[in-house]
Amino acid sequence: MESRAEATQPQFRSGEMGFEFDEINGLFSGPPEAGGSSFTALLELPSPQAVELLVKEDFPVKHPPPPIFPSDFGLIDRASKFSVFASAGNPHESNANSIYSLLKLESVKQEPLGSDSHPNSSSPAVSNQSLKSGKRKDREKRVKESSKKSKNVVGNEALEDDGEKLPYVHVRARRGQATDSHSLAERARREKINARMKLLQELVPGCDKISGTAMVLDEIINHVQALQRQVEFLSMRLAAVDPRVDFNLDALMATEGGSSFDNGYTGIFPPPMYPDGQASSTRLLQYPQQWHCHELHQLGWPTREDDSSNFINPENSLLSYGSSGNSASMHSNQVKMEL
Amino acid sequence: MRNSAQLRHEFLKAWIKSLKIYSNLKKNMSISHRKNAIKLSADVAIASITQKAKPSASSHRWTQSLMADAASSDDGTNRIFVEQTLGYKLGNRKKSPTTGLMTKCSKKILRNNIRVFLGKSRKRTTPKHAKAGSIIANKGVEKRTRLLKRLVPGGEDMDEISLMEEALDYIALLQVQRDVLKQVAAVAESLRNLKSVN
């Protein structure tokens, strides 16, 4: 039972986004104490490490936790994507803030880029002292040092919102490419779009192999449509089930302890509003498992779920925990461990 | 750092809460009604946990448009329900006019026009057919971005970059919704089967 629980556990954890969160966890575990300022995070990093981080292929590989380093465009975007769900887990609170402010790094333009110790630009950029660029395009061109020009694209927009409006975009033109402001701005925009496209590719399964924006967008659209359809069908399925069976969680949440289980079961739909938010959350944790266990005990059923094979794995593992201990507190502890 | 399991859990809580509110408001719903209720409460739950998770994310268009859609449906009870769940009053949101309609051209006409145009222009040094090819490719991309805009709620008047960010969040949350619904539906069905066995 235990082994099965453990076997199912990683399966549950590595959901669609599971492994990526591990990467981000690795990212977070090296906290820059700089807190909210992304820029000091930059400065902490010595340049060889920076160069290493700039290589995107290293990212999935877990190296000893790299500090949060925003130079990689894709890194920022990944981070920003995950930052939507970045929690208020307290040790990570400052990190979450700094990740989000890293998103703003795109917009904050490197004010004091005058210092050569800026690790972001791996090229010493001896040629351009005046215009320091902090841009992530360097990632591809960092070996080419000579004959680079950099240019500022000035857009006087507010810094406030989503980080898309930039006062300054420091962009480094690549060798042999046009350097007028239009093409540079275009290129910056294209790079942004490509970075986000990469993130989308990772999120949608099966998109990595496809090359070409149009096909990837096709896949994304199909995926969104499929998800929407699935949600629709699932809600239809749920609606078709007898509501009495369904909403018993509510009854359970309202009642105290599992003893009045029978009453709760034939229960009324719906009970009055549950006032206490805090307690309800823990009860919600406990009751589904108790519910299954008691239900099955009543029916003389072994607590292993055999035929309900479409129980998703967490339910199974939670059930296995439930069979071992019966006290409510133990349940909640176990469930908390589980989750 | 919230992982997907935590998200699912939060969604489940919020969803059940909103379901309760809804069923308090309305009794004796028919099946289709119930389905809509489920979906609606799920959407609202999603929006509320997004707001909780990241306060700035509530500026995401899709949360707002979700709520606007929810609030503007047939009866006023929906609006009350949504407001109760979220805990604040929704402002009346007008639908902004859709951005300009693209006229349809066939690819061939387009290509010829582009070639002519490029022939006249002297600014670019890149060869013309290469440019025409990329423009055609971009047309395909544009069509699909338009599709995506229609799919993602609130995506109509967004620029491409933020559209993709919204799409990212939307996809992630759709997945959460789907997973939790799948679990709950499976549980409910098997329980019903258990009941019918006895």
Side-chain angles (χ1 to χ4, degrees), chain A residues 21 24 27-28 59 68 70 72-86 95-106 162-164 192 195-196 199, chain B residues 1 54 56-57 60 161 164-166 168-169:
Chain A
F21 279 108
I24 290 290
L27 202 59
F28 270 105
F59 186 58
I68 298 172
D72 191 342
F73 202 88
L75 260 181
I76 284 198
D77 290 307
R78 266 180 240 223
S80 71
K81 168 183 96 160
F82 295 131
S83 77
V84 173
F85 307 121
N95 292 344
N97 287 338
S98 62
I99 278 286
Y100 204 72
S101 62
L102 291 180
L103 179 58
K104 293 192 192 258
L105 186 65
E106 279 181 42
D162 40 289
E164 288 309 316
K192 263 192 232 150
R196 280 157 180 76
L199 281 176
Chain B
M1 184 69 201
K54 195 80 186 161
S56 52
H60 274 203
I161 302 179
M164 300 183 64
E165 292 181 355
E166 300 281 322
L168 269 176
D169 291 336

Side-chain angles (χ1 to χ4, degrees), chain A residues 46-59 63-64 66 72 142:
Chain A
S47 48
Q49 216 168 341
V51 170
E52 189 186 13
L53 276 174
L54 285 175
V55 176
K56 206 163 180 199
E57 290 80 34
D58 288 348
F59 186 58
H63 29 257
D72 191 342
R142 59 182 178 273

Side-chain angles (χ1 to χ4, degrees), chain A residues 16 83-85 164 193 196 214 218 221 223 228 230 232 237 239 250 274 284-285 291 299, chain B residues 2 8-9 13 16 20 34-35 39 54 144 160-161 165 170 175 178 183 187 189 191 198:
Chain A
E16 295 89 344
S83 77
V84 173
F85 307 121
E164 288 309 316
I193 290 184
R196 280 157 180 76
D218 249 352
I221 287 175
H223 194 240
Q228 283 176 340
Q230 276 178 342
E232 172 115 14
R237 239 172 94 186
D250 311 329
Y274 200 72
L284 183 57
L285 275 178
W291 180 29
L299 304 174
Chain B
R2 203 164 279 167
R8 286 179 219 183
H9 193 64
K13 283 193 300 193
I16 289 190
K20 270 196 309 182
R34 275 210 296 265
K35 168 195 111 167
K39 220 161 72 143
K54 195 80 186 161
R144 289 170 176 91
E160 286 187 12
I161 302 179
E165 292 181 355
Y170 184 59
Q175 283 177 343
R178 177 197 49 153
Q183 290 182 26
V187 165
E189 277 185 356
L191 274 175
N198 304 327

Side-chain angles (χ1 to χ4, degrees), chain B residues 1 3 19 21 30 33 67 73 85 96 134 149 152 172 175 177 188 190 197:
Chain B
M1 184 69 201
N3 57 2
L19 274 176
I21 299 180
S30 63
H33 232 134
M67 289 180 248
S73 43
T85 322
S96 48
S134 68
K149 279 187 178 180
V152 174
Q175 283 177 343
Q177 229 177 346
S190 58
V197 160

Side-chain angles (χ1 to χ4, degrees), chain B residues 120-134:
Chain B
K120 290 189 182 158
S121 139
R122 297 261 177 254
K123 288 193 180 166
R124 305 277 178 178
T125 54
T126 53
K128 300 172 209 168
H129 46 270
K131 200 63 177 176
S134 68

Side-chain angles (χ1 to χ4, degrees), chain A residues 73 137 174 177 182-197 213, chain B residues 124 131 138 160-161 164:
Chain A
F73 202 88
K137 294 199 215 233
R174 287 181 210 150
Q177 291 192 343
H182 292 298
S183 51
L184 273 176
E186 259 180 50
R187 202 174 312 127
R189 182 174 165 272
R190 243 182 291 146
E191 295 280 331
K192 263 192 232 150
I193 290 184
N194 287 339
R196 280 157 180 76
M197 188 68 80
T213 315
Chain B
R124 305 277 178 178
K131 200 63 177 176
N138 285 342
E160 286 187 12
I161 302 179
M164 300 183 64

